[in-house]
Amino acid sequence: MDQFLLSSPSHKPLPSAPFAESKDPHAAKPAPRILVVDDEALIADTIVQILSRNGFIAEAAYGGQEAVERARIHCPDLVLSDVLMPHIDGVEAAIQIRGLCPDTRIVLFSGQAATVEILARAQKRGHTFELLPKPIHPTQLIKHLRE
Amino acid sequence: MDVKSPTSETAPNSTLTLEERLHRLVAEGLLPANEATFAAVLDAARQYGEACQSQTAVRLSFALESGQLGTWTWDRATNMLDLDERAAEIFYVKPHTPIDRSALRDLIVAPEHRSLTADGLQQSLETGSLYKAEYRVLRPANFQPPPNANLDAPPFRWISTSGIPTFKPGTREITGMIGTIQDTTLRKQHEETIRQTEKLAATGRLAATIAHEINNPLEAVTNLIYLCKTDPEIPPLAQRLLEMADSELARVSQIAQQTLGFYRDTTRPIEIDLNVLLEAVVDLFARKLFSKKISCSLDLAPNLRIFGLQGEVRQVFSNLLVNAIDATSSGAIRIRGRHRTCRDCKGVSIIISDSGSGIPVHVRQKLFAPFFTTKESVGTGLGLWVTRGIVEKQGGSIGFRTRTEHPSGTCFRVFLPAESSETNVLSTPQTQVLQ
């Protein structure tokens, strides 16, 4: 989504230090580093912006494979991933990331009924993931991620 | 007996009577011209014929039994029907008591099928062809069921009947009909179940497609509005407008989840404060209540807590409140919550009552069935079905009381156990029609 101009481009590398100027009460702790994964770039980019404004250090990935590659380089504290994506879907990526980064919290979000079946398959392989509905209001998303 | 009685020498055997054939055998010298022998052969042949006939009758009766078929005969001149025992039972009448065909039709054939049976018969009489019809018959109000009757049987049957015309010997004149009749209710019910399942599957696919198509853009727009309204440089007026856009969008998201009814909460069960949840649900519909000038009062005992899936429990009360609002033209909706123990299971009972016109008798039994709606074009017929599914999954129960006479209204009662559903699933049917 090149035409979509965001004030803070999501492609920039992760800042090396937490936002010192943030007024967020949680800023006292090191800001959680979140990898936001969605094949719809507009959704990934807007969530990255929202989270960045609320005391997280967020970065976008636009597919499952890309998410796994990012995690391989540097484990985030949290991965927020869409489920149904082409090539490697969110559940498959989540399972791979969990193998690479056992301490990373993984939250999936999806607007599809079929997601439940996909999660059931993951469960058979011994993996359970948190799942949030899509659409989710940003305030609820932030609240959930801070829990 | 004149054993030498002449017979036509040229007639083929098949056109002769038994006696004539014996005479021919005597004439041909194949049978002695002896009266006693003649009588003995004739007698043996008759007995053999009767045995064959009786064997055919036995076979026919077994065939009818195995096909669960009843038989009937109809006399065109008198318009009287004669029914055997099974046919009479299927038709809700006494066996072997001739009954006027038209009177029987008026008595039991479902109004929507009366012309079908009459037209089918007429066509068969005009063409001399097979009569075949499948239709519904309704149990007459004054019908006395036999002692062994299944009291839970529905007050109607689907039947399949067929018959062939009988002719006046040697002519094309139809004098009546002989036919069979079969109760096909079970088959019809199975067909109906299959149809419903197919509808359900199709709706599921449709819902999944719609969910996919609209949930992503909804997410994106929600995020964009949030980013705009939280921008510190936005003027206060624009900010207020964006707040409104945000809350309208929240309604769209809620409606999408609710009308599709396929939102399944897979987060872990948590402790839910029903006092907070119910207030939030009422708040969500504040605008709708206000526009219909309906008041909604909450009378909740303190500390109504249960353990369950929050999104789904919210859906249950949203669905029931929407129904209550739709049923009420003006007046009040009351929501009452109390701590209750149901079958040794501690929990919470929530009653949502409206002052609508009540639920008509014919609607009550179908209320929780999928695709059953009284809201014509605006209803999906899935609301209460989904609601019941969620309540039962939580290990709870749902029932209703309704009154169509003044003062009319309906109240739905939901019982939800306080503990987790896994440890608390009731084994008996949980849906009760309280009235």
Side-chain angles (χ1 to χ4, degrees), chain B residues 379-398:
Chain B
T380 58
L382 293 171
L384 280 176
W385 177 70
V386 167
T387 300
R388 183 180 69 171
I390 296 172
V391 169
E392 291 183 355
K393 200 175 106 189
Q394 303 270 336
S397 62
I398 182 167

Side-chain angles (χ1 to χ4, degrees), chain A residues 79-132:
Chain A
V79 172
L80 174 68
S81 176
D82 183 28
V83 175
L84 292 176
M85 295 184 289
H87 311 302
I88 295 186
D89 72 29
V91 175
E92 189 54 45
I95 291 172
Q96 289 189 28
I97 291 172
R98 191 166 271 177
L100 294 166
C101 313
D103 295 332
T104 296
R105 178 183 169 196
I106 298 173
V107 179
L108 300 175
F109 76 135
S110 172
Q112 305 235 359
T115 306
V116 180
E117 279 71 45
I118 293 173
L119 279 187
R121 280 216 303 278
Q123 210 155 21
K124 276 192 189 145
R125 292 166 64 181
H127 294 276
T128 52
F129 299 104
E130 292 171 61
L131 179 68
L132 291 175

Side-chain angles (χ1 to χ4, degrees), chain B residues 17-215:
Chain B
T17 67
L18 183 60
E19 279 175 292
E20 284 166 346
R21 286 170 77 172
L22 285 178
H23 282 299
R24 179 174 282 181
L25 290 172
V26 171
E28 287 168 359
L30 294 170
L31 204 65
N34 171 313
E35 201 161 323
T37 311
F38 191 91
V41 172
L42 193 60
D43 195 40
R46 276 199 185 121
Q47 272 181 23
Y48 175 73
E50 276 165 17
C52 285
Q53 233 171 23
S54 132
Q55 212 175 15
T56 308
V58 168
R59 187 188 293 179
L60 178 64
S61 95
F62 277 118
L64 290 171
E65 182 66 32
S66 71
Q68 298 282 294
L69 292 162
T71 62
W72 51 269
T73 55
W74 170 64
D75 184 66
R76 193 179 190 178
T78 60
N79 199 29
M80 295 304 266
L81 266 174
D82 184 38
L83 308 169
D84 74 359
E85 282 187 18
R86 180 168 285 117
E89 189 196 321
I90 294 172
F91 275 134
Y92 302 109
V93 294
K94 287 195 186 118
H96 300 300
T97 312
I99 180 165
D100 183 87
R101 182 166 199 141
S102 309
L104 183 67
R105 180 185 294 144
D106 292 343
L107 180 69
I108 59 163
V109 177
E112 71 269 23
H113 290 146
R114 278 184 197 154
S115 62
L116 176 143
T117 55
D119 294 350
L121 180 70
Q122 193 54 41
Q123 195 186 358
S124 182
L125 290 177
E126 281 166 14
T127 60
S129 59
L130 183 76
Y131 163 67
K132 244 177 140 43
E134 187 159 34
Y135 52 96
R136 222 159 54 95
V137 293
L138 309 176
R139 188 167 66 201
N142 59 355
F143 175 70
Q144 295 287 327
N148 59 347
N150 174 13
L151 295 175
D152 294 331
F156 65 85
R157 285 192 179 116
W158 273 97
I159 65 170
S160 165
T161 181
S162 56
I164 47 166
T166 50
F167 298 93
K168 189 171 173 184
T171 70
R172 296 291 302 159
E173 188 191 332
I174 297 172
T175 55
M177 264 192 190
I178 297 181
T180 58
I181 169 181
Q182 193 176 22
D183 183 341
T184 54
T185 312
L186 264 182
R187 179 166 61 74
K188 278 278 174 190
Q189 282 171 345
H190 290 161
E191 283 172 7
E192 183 61 18
T193 309
I194 291 167
R195 253 200 303 278
Q196 290 290 0
T197 311
E198 279 167 359
K199 265 163 102 178
L200 201 58
T203 312
R205 285 194 294 275
L206 179 69
T209 313
I210 294 174
H212 180 239
E213 294 304 322
I214 72 168
N215 282 337

